[in-house]
Amino acid sequence: MSQAQRRIPVYKKILQDKIKEWMIKEFLNYRLAKQGYVDSDVLKTPLGTRIIVYAERPNRIIGRKGVIVKELTELLSKKLEVENPIIDVTPIQNPELNPKIIANRIAWAMTKGVKFRRAGMIAIRQIMDGGAKGAEVTISGKLTSERSRFEKYIYGTIYKNGFDSRTKVQRFVGQVLLKPGLYGIEVRITPPIRFSDEFQIKPPSREVAAEAQAQQVQGGEGGEQAET
């Protein structure tokens, strides 16, 4: 079989790359869930595969003298067959505006015995102190009885419909397993950016105002001449 016949179609190559990227992200999420892992980007470079890991506390992921990063590099190379993986750990600039970090904080507080209402209200306060326009926290599960229900805490403005709700409002859904059962935690955050329904009317410039005033004066003079 010639080399042209062995060539992989473009769409298959794209699918293979996306599957490999998904596998890398799922592995990092599973391996670094307790170290404050948030998200990652996988980039192909001439030197290999560069993986940018975003974390709330980078020191916990790097480890002492980079032990955890070295271990992750070996696992990615051997188990997932990633070509020359290079891991860079970057901190999140404003963790209070990241819904995944907030959901993980609520889950961690509930595992430590903090009441769900207190954990939810503390999360709302942290989000608003971070500069958000609005926050919504929904906790579902066996909250006060054997029957499952949910409680929702809202502060500020939260967009539920339209283009802004799909593209600008940040949302994350997490779970935490406690003795009564599985609890769901949903966090929505309205970041401090401009939305479609926000507008500002600019005052007219001096030239436009002068022209409008001149037209009013001319209109007044024309009316006086018509009366005479």
CSV table of all heavy atoms in Angstrom, one decimal, residues 32 35-38 53-64 66 68-69 87-93:
chain,number,residue,atom,x,y,z
A,32,LEU,N,-6.4,15.6,39.4
A,32,LEU,CA,-6.1,16.8,40.1
A,32,LEU,C,-7.4,17.5,40.7
A,32,LEU,O,-7.4,18.7,41.0
A,32,LEU,CB,-5.5,17.9,39.2
A,32,LEU,CG,-4.2,17.4,38.5
A,32,LEU,CD1,-3.7,18.5,37.6
A,32,LEU,CD2,-3.1,17.1,39.6
A,35,GLN,N,-6.7,19.0,44.1
A,35,GLN,CA,-5.6,20.0,44.1
A,35,GLN,C,-6.0,21.3,43.6
A,35,GLN,O,-5.2,22.2,43.4
A,35,GLN,CB,-4.4,19.5,43.3
A,35,GLN,CG,-3.5,18.5,44.0
A,35,GLN,CD,-4.1,17.1,44.1
A,35,GLN,OE1,-5.0,16.8,43.3
A,35,GLN,NE2,-3.6,16.3,45.1
A,36,GLY,N,-7.3,21.5,43.3
A,36,GLY,CA,-7.8,22.8,42.8
A,36,GLY,C,-7.8,23.0,41.3
A,36,GLY,O,-7.7,24.1,40.8
A,37,TYR,N,-7.8,21.9,40.6
A,37,TYR,CA,-7.9,22.0,39.1
A,37,TYR,C,-9.2,22.6,38.6
A,37,TYR,O,-10.2,22.3,39.1
A,37,TYR,CB,-7.7,20.6,38.5
A,37,TYR,CG,-7.9,20.5,37.0
A,37,TYR,CD1,-6.9,20.8,36.1
A,37,TYR,CD2,-9.2,20.1,36.5
A,37,TYR,CE1,-7.1,20.7,34.8
A,37,TYR,CE2,-9.4,20.0,35.2
A,37,TYR,CZ,-8.4,20.3,34.3
A,37,TYR,OH,-8.6,20.2,33.0
A,38,VAL,N,-9.0,23.5,37.7
A,38,VAL,CA,-10.2,24.2,37.1
A,38,VAL,C,-10.4,23.9,35.7
A,38,VAL,O,-11.5,23.4,35.3
A,38,VAL,CB,-10.0,25.8,37.3
A,38,VAL,CG1,-11.2,26.5,36.6
A,38,VAL,CG2,-9.9,26.2,38.7
A,53,VAL,N,-2.5,24.3,32.4
A,53,VAL,CA,-3.5,23.9,33.4
A,53,VAL,C,-3.8,25.2,34.2
A,53,VAL,O,-2.9,25.9,34.7
A,53,VAL,CB,-2.8,22.8,34.4
A,53,VAL,CG1,-3.8,22.5,35.5
A,53,VAL,CG2,-2.5,21.6,33.6
A,54,TYR,N,-5.1,25.5,34.4
A,54,TYR,CA,-5.5,26.6,35.2
A,54,TYR,C,-6.0,26.1,36.5
A,54,TYR,O,-6.8,25.2,36.6
A,54,TYR,CB,-6.7,27.3,34.5
A,54,TYR,CG,-6.3,27.8,33.1
A,54,TYR,CD1,-6.6,27.1,31.9
A,54,TYR,CD2,-5.7,29.0,32.9
A,54,TYR,CE1,-6.3,27.6,30.7
A,54,TYR,CE2,-5.3,29.5,31.7
A,54,TYR,CZ,-5.6,28.8,30.6
A,54,TYR,OH,-5.3,29.3,29.3
A,55,ALA,N,-5.4,26.7,37.6
A,55,ALA,CA,-5.7,26.2,38.9
A,55,ALA,C,-5.9,27.4,39.9
A,55,ALA,O,-5.4,28.5,39.7
A,55,ALA,CB,-4.6,25.3,39.4
A,56,GLU,N,-6.6,27.1,40.9
A,56,GLU,CA,-6.8,28.1,42.0
A,56,GLU,C,-5.6,28.3,42.8
A,56,GLU,O,-5.2,29.4,43.1
A,56,GLU,CB,-8.0,27.7,42.9
A,56,GLU,CG,-8.3,28.7,44.0
A,56,GLU,CD,-9.5,28.3,44.8
A,56,GLU,OE1,-10.0,27.1,44.7
A,56,GLU,OE2,-9.9,29.0,45.7
A,57,ARG,N,-4.9,27.2,43.1
A,57,ARG,CA,-3.6,27.2,43.8
A,57,ARG,C,-2.6,26.4,43.0
A,57,ARG,O,-2.5,25.2,43.2
A,57,ARG,CB,-3.8,26.6,45.2
A,57,ARG,CG,-4.8,27.4,46.1
A,57,ARG,CD,-5.0,26.7,47.4
A,57,ARG,NE,-5.9,27.5,48.3
A,57,ARG,CZ,-6.3,27.1,49.5
A,57,ARG,NH1,-5.8,26.0,50.0
A,57,ARG,NH2,-7.2,27.8,50.2
A,58,PRO,N,-1.8,27.0,42.2
A,58,PRO,CA,-0.8,26.3,41.4
A,58,PRO,C,0.2,25.5,42.2
A,58,PRO,O,0.7,24.5,41.7
A,58,PRO,CB,-0.1,27.4,40.6
A,58,PRO,CG,-1.1,28.6,40.7
A,58,PRO,CD,-1.8,28.5,42.0
A,59,ASN,N,0.6,26.0,43.4
A,59,ASN,CA,1.6,25.2,44.2
A,59,ASN,C,1.1,23.8,44.5
A,59,ASN,O,2.0,22.9,44.6
A,59,ASN,CB,1.9,26.0,45.5
A,59,ASN,CG,2.6,27.3,45.2
A,59,ASN,OD1,3.2,27.5,44.1
A,59,ASN,ND2,2.4,28.3,46.0
A,60,ARG,N,-0.1,23.6,44.7
A,60,ARG,CA,-0.6,22.3,45.1
A,60,ARG,C,-0.6,21.3,43.9
A,60,ARG,O,-0.5,20.1,44.0
A,60,ARG,CB,-2.1,22.4,45.6
A,60,ARG,CG,-2.2,23.2,46.9
A,60,ARG,CD,-3.6,23.3,47.3
A,60,ARG,NE,-4.1,21.9,47.7
A,60,ARG,CZ,-5.4,21.7,48.1
A,60,ARG,NH1,-6.3,22.7,48.2
A,60,ARG,NH2,-5.8,20.5,48.3
A,61,ILE,N,-0.7,21.9,42.7
A,61,ILE,CA,-0.6,21.0,41.5
A,61,ILE,C,0.9,20.8,41.1
A,61,ILE,O,1.3,19.7,40.7
A,61,ILE,CB,-1.3,21.7,40.3
A,61,ILE,CG1,-2.8,21.7,40.6
A,61,ILE,CG2,-1.0,21.0,39.0
A,61,ILE,CD1,-3.7,22.2,39.5
A,62,ILE,N,1.7,21.8,41.3
A,62,ILE,CA,3.1,21.6,40.9
A,62,ILE,C,3.8,20.6,41.9
A,62,ILE,O,4.6,19.8,41.4
A,62,ILE,CB,3.9,23.0,40.9
A,62,ILE,CG1,3.3,23.9,39.8
A,62,ILE,CG2,5.4,22.8,40.7
A,62,ILE,CD1,3.8,25.3,39.9
A,63,GLY,N,3.5,20.7,43.1
A,63,GLY,CA,4.1,19.9,44.1
A,63,GLY,C,5.5,20.3,44.5
A,63,GLY,O,6.0,21.3,44.0
A,64,ARG,N,6.0,19.6,45.5
A,64,ARG,CA,7.3,20.0,46.0
A,64,ARG,C,8.4,19.6,45.0
A,64,ARG,O,8.5,18.5,44.6
A,64,ARG,CB,7.6,19.3,47.3
A,64,ARG,CG,8.9,19.7,48.0
A,64,ARG,CD,9.0,19.1,49.4
A,64,ARG,NE,10.2,19.5,50.1
A,64,ARG,CZ,10.6,19.1,51.3
A,64,ARG,NH1,9.8,18.2,51.9
A,64,ARG,NH2,11.7,19.6,51.8
A,66,GLY,N,8.3,20.2,42.0
A,66,GLY,CA,7.7,19.7,40.7
A,66,GLY,C,7.5,18.2,40.6
A,66,GLY,O,7.4,17.7,39.5
A,68,ILE,N,4.7,16.4,41.3
A,68,ILE,CA,3.4,16.1,40.7
A,68,ILE,C,3.4,16.3,39.2
A,68,ILE,O,2.9,15.5,38.4
A,68,ILE,CB,2.3,16.9,41.4
A,68,ILE,CG1,2.2,16.5,42.9
A,68,ILE,CG2,0.9,16.6,40.7
A,68,ILE,CD1,1.2,17.3,43.6
A,69,VAL,N,4.0,17.4,38.8
A,69,VAL,CA,4.1,17.7,37.3
A,69,VAL,C,4.9,16.6,36.6
A,69,VAL,O,4.5,16.2,35.5
A,69,VAL,CB,4.7,19.1,37.1
A,69,VAL,CG1,4.9,19.4,35.6
A,69,VAL,CG2,3.7,20.2,37.6
A,87,ILE,N,3.8,20.6,30.5
A,87,ILE,CA,2.7,21.1,31.4
A,87,ILE,C,3.1,22.4,32.0
A,87,ILE,O,4.2,22.6,32.6
A,87,ILE,CB,2.4,20.1,32.5
A,87,ILE,CG1,2.0,18.7,31.9
A,87,ILE,CG2,1.3,20.6,33.5
A,87,ILE,CD1,1.7,17.7,32.9
A,88,ASP,N,2.3,23.4,31.8
A,88,ASP,CA,2.4,24.8,32.4
A,88,ASP,C,1.2,25.0,33.3
A,88,ASP,O,0.1,24.8,32.9
A,88,ASP,CB,2.5,25.9,31.4
A,88,ASP,CG,3.8,25.7,30.5
A,88,ASP,OD1,4.7,25.1,31.0
A,88,ASP,OD2,3.7,26.2,29.3
A,89,VAL,N,1.5,25.4,34.5
A,89,VAL,CA,0.4,25.7,35.5
A,89,VAL,C,0.2,27.2,35.7
A,89,VAL,O,1.2,27.9,35.9
A,89,VAL,CB,0.7,25.1,36.9
A,89,VAL,CG1,-0.4,25.2,37.8
A,89,VAL,CG2,1.0,23.6,36.7
A,90,THR,N,-1.0,27.7,35.4
A,90,THR,CA,-1.3,29.1,35.5
A,90,THR,C,-2.4,29.4,36.5
A,90,THR,O,-3.4,28.7,36.5
A,90,THR,CB,-1.8,29.6,34.1
A,90,THR,OG1,-0.8,29.3,33.1
A,90,THR,CG2,-2.0,31.1,34.1
A,91,PRO,N,-2.2,30.4,37.4
A,91,PRO,CA,-3.3,30.6,38.4
A,91,PRO,C,-4.5,31.4,37.8
A,91,PRO,O,-4.3,32.1,36.8
A,91,PRO,CB,-2.5,31.5,39.4
A,91,PRO,CG,-1.5,32.2,38.6
A,91,PRO,CD,-1.0,31.2,37.5
A,92,ILE,N,-5.6,31.2,38.4
A,92,ILE,CA,-6.8,31.9,38.0
A,92,ILE,C,-6.7,33.3,38.5
A,92,ILE,O,-6.5,33.5,39.7
A,92,ILE,CB,-8.1,31.2,38.5
A,92,ILE,CG1,-8.2,29.8,37.8
A,92,ILE,CG2,-9.3,32.0,38.2
A,92,ILE,CD1,-8.4,29.8,36.4
A,93,GLN,N,-7.0,34.3,37.7
A,93,GLN,CA,-6.8,35.7,38.1
A,93,GLN,C,-7.8,36.1,39.2
A,93,GLN,O,-7.5,36.7,40.2
A,93,GLN,CB,-6.8,36.7,36.9
A,93,GLN,CG,-5.7,36.4,35.9
A,93,GLN,CD,-4.4,36.7,36.4
A,93,GLN,OE1,-4.2,37.5,37.3
A,93,GLN,NE2,-3.4,35.9,35.9
